[in-house]
Amino acid sequence: MPNDTAMHELCELIVDCPHSTPKWTDAGVLVLRSHNIRGGRLNLSDKSFTDEATYRVRSRRAELQSRDLVITREAPMGEVCMVPNGLRCCLGQRMVLLRPDESKCDAAYLLYAIQAPLVQNQISWSEGTGSTVSNLRIPHLEALRVPTPSLDNQRAISAVLGYLDDKIEQNRRTGRKLEELARAVFKAWFVDFEPVKAKATGATAFPGMPAETFAALPNTLKDSPLGPVPEGWEVGMMGTVGVQRRAQVAPEEIAGNTPYIGLEHMPRRDITLSDSGTAASVTSSKFRFRRSDILFGKLRPYFHKVGPAPLDGVCSTDIVVLYPTRSEYAAWLLMLVSSDDFVAHTDRSSAGTKMPRTNWKDMAGFRAIVPPSAVALTFQQQVSAMVDLITGSIHESRRLAILRDYLLPRLL
């Protein structure tokens, strides 16, 4: 086996996707899309589906199976992931199936090799034309030269890198579970008013709520423009609790190593903002944000890109930066503006057809049931600990990713 091998020699199959848009459905068979593939991982926080008939058409040349690799051809180009065990899915647009021949090439090793600078540079550069390319064509993909040590060494390399990635993935899953828990508490306390309803039936305590907070709750609901609310709680607007931070800076005022968050770094329906870039390539004005500020993607708000900033930095002006008027409302405000109801409100009020944007005025006008300060403080004390764990896991995962990226070209 030579030191490097052409991709087509390492794969049993290289199959391009159908060049057509799938029929989209609300449920059914999962369709992989470009935004699901980032950093060598398959992220299914935002899922798309098709029906059985469309799945069969799109899988006519080959059905995706576990340990297959999927690589994107454009927008972005060269992102890759592995299909996990038990996942029934088909290719969306602008992606290719790679099925490694595991008598020659370990699938996990090939996943990492494709991400290495040596292969990524080949992906973005065409020797035939002597220029950069924006679309990974099949002949170019098949001709990529991949470093190919012995199978034993391939497996050893993928085991080391896989350990780091597994820890990063564990942090990601933990963050999702913490968010789900925080959201469940928010819904119980501030949407369904379960503690107040329990007290109305004679309960003397509510699971997870401190005794003193429960004792101070009313035991009746009153009518309001938003429906029944606890006695003494008010209907207000988000803008009475949240404030927009508009600290705009010119590119020449931003140090090149300043963390930068654009919409492309923000996941959908996930408050864990683990990805970011640097301001080195920034050429236009940006907004400054501080750690724990809430970032809300206002361009195409239905993408549901919201989360707390894990560090200080700058962001795209298509991101609204906001923070609470009082610190005890920080967790409540985060859960509110990342809720389905709030995002749906911004979507309905957004302007523009192809690239709709919401604005601060409409965001601030969202009506919500505002809890008393003491209840908000109790919620803050519980949920802020969860957000701190999420933020801590983000920084740990970044350190692990730096180590992985340092080792990757050296191990190959």
Side-chain angles (χ1 to χ4, degrees):
M1 183 70 70
N3 291 330
D4 60 82
T5 311
M7 182 71 76
H8 71 87
E9 296 180 54
L10 298 176
C11 294
E12 294 179 1
L13 285 175
I14 297 180
V15 178
D16 197 7
C17 66
H19 292 187
S20 60
T21 303
K23 176 183 178 181
W24 302 118
T25 58
D26 293 333
V29 184
L30 188 69
V31 180
L32 303 188
R33 305 181 72 176
S34 294
H35 67 256
N36 297 129
I37 306 172
R38 288 291 186 276
R41 289 280 177 171
L42 181 61
N43 184 341
L44 296 178
S45 58
D46 182 59
K47 297 179 180 179
S48 304
F49 300 96
T50 193
D51 58 25
E52 192 68 29
T54 304
Y55 167 78
R56 289 195 297 270
V57 170
R58 300 190 74 80
S59 304
R60 187 174 294 154
R61 295 180 62 193
E63 290 191 61
L64 283 171
Q65 60 188 39
S66 61
R67 294 182 67 80
D68 282 349
L69 305 186
V70 177
I71 185 168
T72 59
R73 292 185 54 178
E74 59 179 293
M77 180 175 61
E79 292 282 357
V80 63
C81 73
M82 180 183 288
V83 177
N85 290 332
L87 183 67
R88 188 166 185 257
C89 56
C90 62
L91 298 176
Q93 292 181 284
R94 298 182 293 277
M95 54 184 59
V96 180
L97 177 158
L98 303 176
R99 181 164 299 162
D101 179 349
E102 298 218 42
S103 69
K104 301 177 182 177
C105 184
D106 177 68
Y109 170 82
L110 185 57
L111 174 72
Y112 288 113
I114 290 172
Q115 297 174 71
L118 181 63
V119 177
Q120 285 291 311
N121 289 341
Q122 293 178 65
I123 288 173
S124 60
W125 181 263
S126 172
E127 292 184 2
T129 63
S131 61
T132 57
V133 296
S134 59
N135 184 300
L136 180 56
R137 300 186 181 279
I138 298 299
H140 186 39
L141 173 59
E142 292 176 333
L144 294 175
R145 307 299 297 186
V146 180
T148 318
S150 69
L151 268 175
D152 286 344
N153 283 342
Q154 290 179 39
R155 291 168 183 146
I157 291 168
S158 63
V160 171
L161 299 175
Y163 173 81
L164 298 174
D165 267 341
D166 287 346
K167 177 55 179 170
I168 293 171
E169 180 61 23
Q170 181 184 350
N171 286 345
R172 186 179 290 114
R173 288 197 301 267
T174 299
R176 292 290 293 171
K177 292 300 181 183
L178 289 168
E179 179 183 348
E180 289 173 10
L181 178 58
R183 210 166 291 288
V185 176
F186 179 84
K187 184 175 185 295
W189 290 17
F190 305 120
V191 178
D192 298 334
F193 311 120
E194 291 179 13
V196 174
K197 292 175 181 177
K199 191 170 185 179
T201 62
T204 58
F206 187 81
M209 179 175 278
E212 60 273 19
T213 303
F214 183 80
L217 290 176
N219 57 10
T220 57
L221 300 174
K222 66 175 184 179
D223 290 333
S224 81
L226 299 182
V229 302
E231 189 73 37
W233 294 25
E234 300 298 330
V235 173
M237 292 186 293
M238 187 278 282
T240 63
V241 180
V243 179
Q244 184 181 21
R245 190 186 301 282
R246 288 188 59 87
Q248 195 160 2
V249 287
E252 62 271 16
E253 301 175 290
I254 308 170
N257 63 351
T258 302
Y260 168 72
I261 294 179
L263 289 173
E264 67 275 15
H265 299 120
M266 300 180 70
R268 304 185 189 193
R269 294 184 172 276
D270 188 344
I271 65 170
T272 302
L273 303 185
S274 56
D275 195 13
S276 64
T278 65
S281 60
V282 163
T283 58
S284 59
S285 295
K286 303 299 175 189
F287 287 141
R288 287 199 184 275
F289 61 80
R290 299 175 184 171
R291 178 171 172 155
S292 300
D293 283 351
I294 300 169
L295 307 184
F296 187 99
K298 70 176 184 179
L299 175 65
R300 295 188 286 191
Y302 53 80
F303 280 163
H304 205 130
K305 296 186 173 187
V306 195
L311 72 183
D312 294 351
V314 295
C315 66
S316 163
T317 53
D318 276 323
I319 295 173
V320 173
V321 182
L322 63 151
Y323 63 96
T325 55
R326 291 187 288 174
S327 60
E328 65 267 29
Y329 282 91
W332 180 87
L333 181 64
L334 171 62
M335 290 294 104
L336 178 73
V337 300
S338 61
S339 68
D340 288 345
D341 286 346
F342 185 85
V343 172
H345 163 80
T346 61
D347 184 32
R348 289 192 300 269
S349 59
S350 59
T353 303
K354 291 185 178 180
M355 303 285 277
R357 285 176 171 82
T358 189
N359 60 75
W360 174 250
K361 180 180 178 182
D362 289 331
M363 291 174 64
F366 180 78
R367 293 198 300 175
I369 299 161
V370 182
S373 176
V375 181
L377 177 60
T378 300
F379 183 73
Q380 171 68 18
Q381 290 168 341
Q382 293 193 5
V383 173
S384 64
M386 302 178 196
V387 175
D388 287 345
L389 285 172
I390 292 173
T391 300
S393 72
I394 289 172
H395 293 298
E396 180 185 44
S397 293
R398 283 181 175 166
R399 291 191 295 271
L400 292 170
I402 290 170
L403 176 59
R404 179 201 60 205
D405 294 344
Y406 172 82
L407 291 174
L408 179 56
R410 289 161 177 81
L411 289 174
L412 296 188

Short mmCIF file of all heavy atoms in Angstrom, two decimals, residues 303-328:
data_model
loop_
_atom_site.label_atom_id
_atom_site.label_comp_id
_atom_site.label_asym_id
_atom_site.label_seq_id
_atom_site.Cartn_x
_atom_site.Cartn_y
_atom_site.Cartn_z
N PHE A 303 -35.24 30.26 11.75
CA PHE A 303 -34.14 29.31 11.96
C PHE A 303 -33.89 29.06 13.45
O PHE A 303 -33.19 28.11 13.80
CB PHE A 303 -32.86 29.81 11.30
CG PHE A 303 -32.79 29.55 9.82
CD1 PHE A 303 -31.88 30.24 9.03
CD2 PHE A 303 -33.63 28.63 9.21
CE1 PHE A 303 -31.79 29.99 7.66
CE2 PHE A 303 -33.56 28.39 7.84
CZ PHE A 303 -32.64 29.06 7.08
N HIS A 304 -34.45 29.91 14.30
CA HIS A 304 -34.43 29.68 15.76
C HIS A 304 -32.98 29.60 16.27
O HIS A 304 -32.57 28.60 16.87
CB HIS A 304 -35.18 28.39 16.09
CG HIS A 304 -35.71 28.34 17.48
ND1 HIS A 304 -37.01 28.01 17.76
CD2 HIS A 304 -35.15 28.58 18.68
CE1 HIS A 304 -37.22 28.04 19.06
NE2 HIS A 304 -36.09 28.39 19.64
N LYS A 305 -32.23 30.67 16.03
CA LYS A 305 -30.84 30.72 16.48
C LYS A 305 -30.74 31.70 17.65
O LYS A 305 -30.72 32.92 17.45
CB LYS A 305 -29.92 31.15 15.33
CG LYS A 305 -29.90 30.15 14.17
CD LYS A 305 -28.88 30.52 13.12
CE LYS A 305 -28.76 29.42 12.06
NZ LYS A 305 -27.65 29.67 11.11
N VAL A 306 -30.67 31.15 18.86
CA VAL A 306 -30.67 31.94 20.08
C VAL A 306 -29.78 31.25 21.12
O VAL A 306 -29.81 30.02 21.23
CB VAL A 306 -32.08 32.09 20.68
CG1 VAL A 306 -32.11 33.21 21.73
CG2 VAL A 306 -33.14 32.31 19.63
N GLY A 307 -29.04 32.04 21.89
CA GLY A 307 -28.27 31.45 22.97
C GLY A 307 -27.47 32.48 23.73
O GLY A 307 -27.26 33.60 23.26
N PRO A 308 -26.99 32.11 24.94
CA PRO A 308 -26.17 33.03 25.73
C PRO A 308 -24.72 33.00 25.27
O PRO A 308 -24.16 31.94 24.98
CB PRO A 308 -26.30 32.46 27.15
CG PRO A 308 -26.52 30.99 26.94
CD PRO A 308 -27.28 30.85 25.65
N ALA A 309 -24.10 34.16 25.20
CA ALA A 309 -22.71 34.25 24.76
C ALA A 309 -21.80 33.62 25.82
O ALA A 309 -21.86 34.00 26.99
CB ALA A 309 -22.32 35.70 24.53
N PRO A 310 -20.93 32.69 25.42
CA PRO A 310 -20.06 32.05 26.40
C PRO A 310 -18.80 32.86 26.72
O PRO A 310 -18.01 32.47 27.57
CB PRO A 310 -19.69 30.72 25.72
CG PRO A 310 -19.74 31.03 24.26
CD PRO A 310 -20.82 32.06 24.09
N LEU A 311 -18.61 34.00 26.02
CA LEU A 311 -17.41 34.82 26.20
C LEU A 311 -17.68 36.21 25.63
O LEU A 311 -18.71 36.43 25.01
CB LEU A 311 -16.22 34.18 25.52
CG LEU A 311 -16.09 34.14 23.99
CD1 LEU A 311 -14.84 33.38 23.59
CD2 LEU A 311 -17.28 33.58 23.29
N ASP A 312 -16.78 37.15 25.86
CA ASP A 312 -16.88 38.47 25.25
C ASP A 312 -16.45 38.39 23.78
O ASP A 312 -15.60 37.57 23.43
CB ASP A 312 -15.96 39.47 25.96
CG ASP A 312 -16.38 39.74 27.40
OD1 ASP A 312 -17.48 39.30 27.79
OD2 ASP A 312 -15.60 40.39 28.12
N GLY A 313 -17.01 39.25 22.94
CA GLY A 313 -16.60 39.25 21.54
C GLY A 313 -17.42 40.21 20.72
O GLY A 313 -18.03 41.16 21.24
N VAL A 314 -17.43 39.97 19.40
CA VAL A 314 -18.23 40.77 18.48
C VAL A 314 -19.07 39.81 17.63
O VAL A 314 -18.73 38.64 17.47
CB VAL A 314 -17.36 41.66 17.56
CG1 VAL A 314 -16.62 42.69 18.37
CG2 VAL A 314 -16.40 40.81 16.73
N CYS A 315 -20.16 40.33 17.11
CA CYS A 315 -21.05 39.48 16.31
C CYS A 315 -21.58 40.25 15.11
O CYS A 315 -21.47 41.47 15.02
CB CYS A 315 -22.22 38.97 17.16
SG CYS A 315 -23.36 40.25 17.73
N SER A 316 -22.17 39.50 14.20
CA SER A 316 -22.81 40.06 13.02
C SER A 316 -23.91 41.04 13.43
O SER A 316 -24.58 40.86 14.46
CB SER A 316 -23.39 38.93 12.18
OG SER A 316 -24.34 39.41 11.25
N THR A 317 -24.13 42.05 12.60
CA THR A 317 -25.23 42.97 12.87
C THR A 317 -26.59 42.35 12.53
O THR A 317 -27.62 42.98 12.73
CB THR A 317 -25.04 44.28 12.07
OG1 THR A 317 -24.85 43.97 10.69
CG2 THR A 317 -23.85 45.06 12.60
N ASP A 318 -26.59 41.12 12.00
CA ASP A 318 -27.83 40.37 11.85
C ASP A 318 -28.17 39.58 13.10
O ASP A 318 -29.04 38.72 13.09
CB ASP A 318 -27.75 39.42 10.65
CG ASP A 318 -28.08 40.12 9.34
OD1 ASP A 318 -28.98 40.99 9.35
OD2 ASP A 318 -27.44 39.81 8.31
N ILE A 319 -27.46 39.87 14.18
CA ILE A 319 -27.72 39.27 15.49
C ILE A 319 -28.07 40.39 16.46
O ILE A 319 -27.35 41.39 16.56
CB ILE A 319 -26.50 38.49 15.99
CG1 ILE A 319 -26.21 37.30 15.07
CG2 ILE A 319 -26.71 38.01 17.43
CD1 ILE A 319 -24.93 36.57 15.39
N VAL A 320 -29.19 40.25 17.15
CA VAL A 320 -29.58 41.19 18.19
C VAL A 320 -28.93 40.76 19.50
O VAL A 320 -28.99 39.59 19.88
CB VAL A 320 -31.11 41.24 18.37
CG1 VAL A 320 -31.49 42.11 19.56
CG2 VAL A 320 -31.77 41.77 17.10
N VAL A 321 -28.28 41.71 20.17
CA VAL A 321 -27.67 41.46 21.47
C VAL A 321 -28.56 42.06 22.54
O VAL A 321 -28.91 43.24 22.46
CB VAL A 321 -26.26 42.08 21.55
CG1 VAL A 321 -25.61 41.76 22.90
CG2 VAL A 321 -25.39 41.61 20.39
N LEU A 322 -28.96 41.26 23.52
CA LEU A 322 -29.81 41.79 24.58
C LEU A 322 -29.38 41.25 25.93
O LEU A 322 -28.68 40.23 26.03
CB LEU A 322 -31.28 41.49 24.33
CG LEU A 322 -31.77 40.05 24.27
CD1 LEU A 322 -33.22 39.97 24.73
CD2 LEU A 322 -31.66 39.47 22.86
N TYR A 323 -29.80 41.93 26.97
CA TYR A 323 -29.47 41.53 28.34
C TYR A 323 -30.60 42.00 29.25
O TYR A 323 -31.40 42.87 28.88
CB TYR A 323 -28.12 42.13 28.78
CG TYR A 323 -28.10 43.64 28.83
CD1 TYR A 323 -28.32 44.33 30.02
CD2 TYR A 323 -27.85 44.39 27.67
CE1 TYR A 323 -28.30 45.71 30.07
CE2 TYR A 323 -27.83 45.78 27.72
CZ TYR A 323 -28.05 46.44 28.91
OH TYR A 323 -28.02 47.81 28.96
N PRO A 324 -30.73 41.43 30.46
CA PRO A 324 -31.86 41.76 31.33
C PRO A 324 -31.68 43.10 32.03
O PRO A 324 -30.56 43.52 32.34
CB PRO A 324 -31.87 40.61 32.34
CG PRO A 324 -30.43 40.18 32.41
CD PRO A 324 -29.89 40.35 31.02
N THR A 325 -32.78 43.76 32.30
CA THR A 325 -32.73 45.01 33.06
C THR A 325 -32.34 44.76 34.50
O THR A 325 -31.75 45.62 35.15
CB THR A 325 -34.11 45.71 33.03
OG1 THR A 325 -35.12 44.79 33.51
CG2 THR A 325 -34.46 46.16 31.63
N ARG A 326 -32.68 43.58 35.02
CA ARG A 326 -32.29 43.19 36.38
C ARG A 326 -31.74 41.77 36.33
O ARG A 326 -32.28 40.90 35.65
CB ARG A 326 -33.49 43.27 37.33
CG ARG A 326 -33.94 44.70 37.61
CD ARG A 326 -35.02 44.75 38.68
NE ARG A 326 -36.29 44.25 38.18
CZ ARG A 326 -37.37 44.06 38.93
NH1 ARG A 326 -37.32 44.27 40.24
NH2 ARG A 326 -38.49 43.63 38.39
N SER A 327 -30.67 41.54 37.06
CA SER A 327 -29.94 40.28 36.95
C SER A 327 -30.78 39.06 37.31
O SER A 327 -30.56 37.98 36.76
CB SER A 327 -28.69 40.32 37.84
OG SER A 327 -29.05 40.52 39.21
N GLU A 328 -31.75 39.23 38.21
CA GLU A 328 -32.55 38.07 38.61
C GLU A 328 -33.47 37.56 37.49
O GLU A 328 -34.02 36.46 37.59
CB GLU A 328 -33.38 38.37 39.87
CG GLU A 328 -34.45 39.44 39.71
CD GLU A 328 -33.98 40.82 40.08
OE1 GLU A 328 -32.75 41.09 39.93
OE2 GLU A 328 -34.81 41.63 40.50
#
